[in-house]
Amino acid sequence: QVQLVESGGGLVQAGGSLRLSCAVSGLTFSSYAMGWFRQAPGKEREFVAAISWSGGTTRYADSVKGRFTISRDNAKNTVYLQMNSLKPEDTAVYYCAATLIAIATSGGEYEYWGQGTQVTVSS
């Protein structure tokens, strides 16, 4: 079956960095675009970043542009989210997701989701 497993979350001080990973199995990873979303307590899930199947196209939410970088390694079936200059408002559960759409920024366009990893940024 399809599995997306996030890792790398944790507690970090404002201004710090974290690198999230999402290991994917059960599908042809190189055929899927990937995305990262997040959901803070009491808030709706929001788009963070997306990457095309080849890695040649990326999209970012305005709130993370210039601070976060999405990348992928198709040989390792893994997508990454490098998060720098973290702010308390980045605190959320972060989810990775997979879609056959070339690149997507809406959660409704993704077919498969991971369980999430908690990121907490202290001030």
Side-chain angles (χ1 to χ4, degrees), residues 27-69:
L27 53 75
T28 305
F29 181 72
S30 59
S31 296
Y32 283 76
M34 299 296 297
W36 286 97
F37 291 77
R38 67 186 181 186
Q39 187 166 20
K43 295 189 175 181
E44 292 191 352
R45 182 180 63 195
E46 65 174 357
F47 168 74
V48 175
I51 189 166
S52 62
W53 66 270
S54 67
T57 302
T58 56
R59 296 285 186 270
Y60 296 94
D62 288 343
S63 59
V64 306
K65 210 170 285 184
R67 299 188 298 122
F68 290 11
T69 303

Side-chain angles (χ1 to χ4, degrees), residues 3-114:
Q3 285 192 311
L4 286 71
V5 180
E6 302 95 336
S7 61
L11 174 64
V12 63
Q13 288 190 330
S17 298
L18 282 175
R19 188 195 197 202
L20 304 184
S21 298
C22 174
V24 180
S25 60
L27 53 75
T28 305
F29 181 72
S30 59
S31 296
Y32 283 76
M34 299 296 297
W36 286 97
F37 291 77
R38 67 186 181 186
Q39 187 166 20
K43 295 189 175 181
E44 292 191 352
R45 182 180 63 195
E46 65 174 357
F47 168 74
V48 175
I51 189 166
S52 62
W53 66 270
S54 67
T57 302
T58 56
R59 296 285 186 270
Y60 296 94
D62 288 343
S63 59
V64 306
K65 210 170 285 184
R67 299 188 298 122
F68 290 11
T69 303
I70 189 170
S71 62
R72 66 189 295 157
D73 185 337
N74 286 348
K76 295 183 178 180
N77 287 7
T78 302
V79 62
Y80 305 97
L81 186 67
Q82 177 67 43
M83 306 186 295
N84 299 328
S85 303
L86 282 161
K87 305 175 181 180
E89 51 264 43
D90 295 317
T91 295
V93 177
Y94 283 71
Y95 300 90
C96 68
T99 179
L100 284 172
I101 297 171
I103 193 158
T105 61
S106 170
E109 295 176 299
Y110 285 81
E111 293 112 275
Y112 301 106
W113 293 82

